[in-house]
Amino acid sequence: MGTNRISYGKIAVIGCGFFALTLIWTFYNAYMPLILGDFIESRAIRGGIMGLDNVLAVLLIPIIGAWSDRVKTPLGNRLPFLIVGMPLAALFFMLIPYSAKSMLWLLLLVDILFLLAMTIYRAPVIALMPDHTPPQKRSSANGIINVMGGIGAIIALFGLSQLYRLNSAYPFLVAGGLLLLSFMLLYLVVDRKPPYAETSSDDMAGMKKDGSYIHGLKTLFVPSFRGELFILLAIFFYFIGYAGVEAQFTVYAVEYLGMEESTAGVTLGFFSLSFVLFAIPAGLIGNKWGKTPAMLIGLVGLPLIFICIPLIPFITSIWPMADTVLLQILLLTGGLFWAFINVQAYPLVADLGGTKKIGYFTGLYYLFSMASSIVAPGFLGLLMDIFSHPALFYGAAVSFIIAFGFLKAGSYLTRSGSRYVSSQAK
C-alpha cells in the first residue's frame, strides 16, 4: 500500500482516458438515434435498439472489471484490456458513418463490434483512478476526472456537432483519433503496479470457487449487503432518467422543437458545459460534506429542472424570453445538479470495494448504470410515442425521485453496517 499522496499529473492523464470515453459516448448517444432515424421512424424502436446495444456491456463489464482485479502481467492488471479494447473501439467507431450509408444490418453489426471493444476496456480504464488515489481523496480526484470527461462532452456537442453539419463522417474520424491518442498517453504514464490497488485473493474466493461472476453478484442479495444493493439500485434508477434524456434529447429537439440536428447537439452541450464548470467544486463539496449528502442535493434539483423543460412555452408566455435561451439556461442549471450526483457516485461505489475489489465494484457500478441504459431509451421513447415528446422529461424526473429514496435508504443501512466504508469519507 502507498501513502496518502496523490499524483495529480497521473490523475490528469487517467482523465484523458475518460475524456476520450465521454467524447465518444456523448456524440454516439446524441447522434446514433438520428442515424437510426434514416431507417426507423418509431422513437420506441430506435430507443430499444440503443438499449439493446448495451446488453453486451451489461453482461461483460462486471466480469472484465473483476478479471482485471485478478490478472497478473508484466504490464499490470489494467493495461492489457486497454491495449486490446481502445484501438479496436477507435477503428469501429470510425466505420459507423460509412456503414450507415449502406444497410441497417451492416450498421448494427459495426455498432455491436464497436460496443464490444468499448466494453473490453471501460471498467479497467475507470478503475485506474482509485488504483492511483487514496479513498479520502477520491471525490476530488474524480472531480478532475469528470472535468476531463465534461470537456470531452463539450467538444462532442459544440465541436463535433459542427463537423457533423459539414460531413457526417468527420466527427467519427476525429473522435476515433482522439481515442487512439489517449490510449498512447495512458500506456506511457500509468503505473504498472499502482499504489492503492491489490490483486484480489481472499475477497474473491467465492467467485473462484463458483467459477463465475454469478456467485459474486448473488452476494449483493445477502441481508448484510442490502445497503450496497440499495446504493446500486439508486444508480440504476437515476441513470434511467439520464440515459433516456441523453439518447432522446436530440429527437425531442429536432422533431418537437424543430431544431436543426447540429443546433440540438449544441443546445445539449450547455448541460455538459455546466457539468465541467462545477465538477471540481462538486468533488470538493463531496470531500467536505460527504458523498451521499452531495448526491441527494442533485437528486432533488435535477428532476425539478426536467419538470420545467416541457413548461418552457408557458414560462416564456408570462416572462418574455426566447424558448431556446430558457432551455439553455435550464440545461446549464441541470448540469450543476448532475455534477453533485455523478462526481460522487463512482467514488462512493469504489469505497465499498476497499482496496482488493475496486475492479469488482467498478464492474457492479457499470452493471447497474448500463443495465438502465438498456431500459431507458426504449422506455422513455415509448412514453414519447404514447404521451407525446414532453413525456421524456416527466419520466426522467420520476426516475430521479425513486433514486433519491434508494440512496437515502442505502446510505442508512451501510452506515450502520459493519462492512461499510463510510460514504462520508473525506
Side-chain angles (χ1 to χ4, degrees), residues 37-60:
D38 293 337
F39 300 94
I40 301 165
E41 181 178 355
S42 169
R43 290 167 291 276
I45 294 175
R46 275 183 273 168
I49 291 173
M50 292 290 290
L52 288 173
D53 284 345
N54 291 289
V55 171
L56 282 175
V58 168
L59 293 175
L60 295 179

Side-chain angles (χ1 to χ4, degrees), residues 44-59 236 239-240 243-244 366-380:
I45 294 175
R46 275 183 273 168
I49 291 173
M50 292 290 290
L52 288 173
D53 284 345
N54 291 289
V55 171
L56 282 175
V58 168
L59 293 175
F236 171 82
F239 262 108
I240 286 181
Y366 279 104
L367 170 65
F368 280 79
S369 62
M370 296 197 75
S372 63
S373 297
I374 293 176
V375 176
F379 175 67
L380 293 182

Side-chain angles (χ1 to χ4, degrees), residues 130-347:
D131 282 351
H132 291 77
T133 311
Q136 64 269 28
K137 298 289 186 180
R138 285 177 183 167
S139 276
S140 54
N142 206 44
I144 297 171
I145 296 291
N146 277 277
V147 165
M148 300 293 289
I151 292 171
I154 288 173
I155 292 175
L157 295 173
F158 286 103
L160 298 187
S161 291
Q162 298 303 318
L163 288 178
Y164 190 86
R165 188 200 301 266
L166 298 175
N167 187 303
S168 61
Y170 289 169
F172 290 90
L173 297 175
V174 171
L178 290 172
L179 179 58
L180 288 174
L181 285 174
S182 70
F183 162 68
M184 288 186 282
L185 276 173
L186 287 166
Y187 182 83
L188 292 172
V189 173
V190 300
D191 291 341
R192 273 46 177 174
K193 294 182 179 180
Y196 301 100
E198 297 179 18
T199 302
S200 178
S201 55
D202 294 342
D203 284 353
M204 300 297 286
M207 288 179 64
K208 291 181 179 179
K209 179 180 178 181
D210 188 79
S212 72
Y213 181 76
I214 301 300
H215 181 90
L217 188 59
K218 287 179 179 178
T219 303
L220 288 175
F221 297 93
V222 174
S224 61
F225 278 78
R226 189 164 296 160
E228 286 87 342
L229 177 61
F230 282 4
I231 289 172
L232 291 166
L233 284 173
I235 291 167
F236 171 82
F237 277 105
Y238 76 66
F239 262 108
I240 286 181
Y242 175 77
V245 170
E246 185 182 39
Q248 297 284 7
F249 178 83
T250 53
V251 175
Y252 173 86
V254 171
E255 296 181 358
Y256 188 71
L257 301 180
M259 288 185 182
E260 293 184 3
E261 293 179 351
S262 59
T263 304
V266 169
T267 299
L268 184 58
F270 282 86
F271 188 91
S272 299
L273 175 63
S274 177
F275 177 81
V276 169
L277 294 175
F278 289 100
I280 290 179
L284 295 174
I285 289 171
N287 283 344
K288 185 174 182 179
W289 295 355
K291 301 177 183 69
T292 298
M295 289 181 70
L296 292 174
I297 292 171
L299 289 172
V300 171
L302 193 51
L304 293 176
I305 296 297
F306 285 158
I307 290 170
C308 288
I309 288 176
L311 301 176
I312 285 176
F314 172 75
I315 296 172
T316 55
S317 69
I318 59 177
W319 182 23
M321 179 183 293
D323 288 2
T324 301
V325 173
L326 180 55
L327 176 58
Q328 291 169 351
I329 291 172
L330 288 172
L331 289 173
L332 276 170
T333 308
L336 182 157
F337 289 119
W338 179 239
F340 273 87
I341 299 167
N342 201 43
V343 168
Q344 322 299 334
Y346 174 62

Side-chain angles (χ1 to χ4, degrees), residues 89-147:
L91 171 64
F92 289 119
F93 192 68
M94 292 176 178
L95 292 177
I96 286 176
Y98 300 102
S99 63
K101 295 178 181 178
S102 181
M103 292 176 285
L104 179 61
W105 71 265
L106 182 60
L107 172 62
L108 294 178
L109 176 62
V110 172
D111 184 32
I112 290 171
L113 292 172
F114 157 70
L115 289 162
L116 180 60
M118 294 288 282
T119 300
I120 291 171
Y121 84 88
R122 185 163 183 170
V125 78
I126 298 301
L128 286 172
M129 185 278 285
D131 282 351
H132 291 77
T133 311
Q136 64 269 28
K137 298 289 186 180
R138 285 177 183 167
S139 276
S140 54
N142 206 44
I144 297 171
I145 296 291
N146 277 277
V147 165

